[in-house]
Amino acid sequence: MDVARTALDRSAQEIEEALTVGARVVIAPRDQVTIGPALVDVIERSGATVMQTTPATLRLLLAAGWKGNRSLGVITGGEGLPAALAREILPRVKELWNVYGPTETTVWSSFRRVVESDLGRPTVSIGTGIRDTALYVLDSSLEP
């Protein structure tokens, strides 16, 4: 099951992926995804096993006292994932993935499963490019 927000470009991917494997999609009202305790309640009541969200929403959950769910896979993107936040989330969930690229490729350009060895850096790596995607780090002159 996936907790999805339909206002974002990635919602099409979230919904299609869930439905193609026979999962149920939970689309919560806006007031339930922007208020920490309400979102905690949605996650717990729904029995979600996958959640795609932003680091800001993970902070919202932690501030609301969310204890986590060891059956929940979390995919996070949309902004950098600080290692300090990943350290708090990783032991609370089944697995944590950091993804990158919605603006550049409309959904994902790269991904990485977050592991303990990632947590010694200030931010978690955006990982490697998905199939048929090349990643380049450019300077301010757009040179490699």
Side-chain angles (χ1 to χ4, degrees), residues 12-25:
Q13 173 255 341
E14 292 174 331
I15 293 167
E16 288 177 19
E17 277 185 358
L19 295 179
T20 59
V21 297
R24 183 168 56 113
V25 177

Side-chain angles (χ1 to χ4, degrees), residues 27 43-44 52 102 110-111 123 133 139:
I27 301 174
I43 295 166
E44 291 175 357
Q52 184 166 320
S110 67
F111 66 98
T123 58
T133 301
D139 65 16

Side-chain angles (χ1 to χ4, degrees), residues 83-120:
L85 179 59
R87 272 192 291 279
E88 288 189 68
I89 296 296
L90 191 58
R92 299 171 190 242
V93 298
K94 179 179 180 181
E95 58 188 21
L96 176 62
W97 290 82
N98 193 30
V99 298
Y100 176 83
T103 302
E104 293 76 9
T105 58
T106 310
V107 189
W108 301 341
S109 299
S110 67
F111 66 98
R112 178 176 178 85
R113 184 173 182 177
V114 179
V115 295
E116 283 291 323
S117 60
D118 293 324
L119 305 180

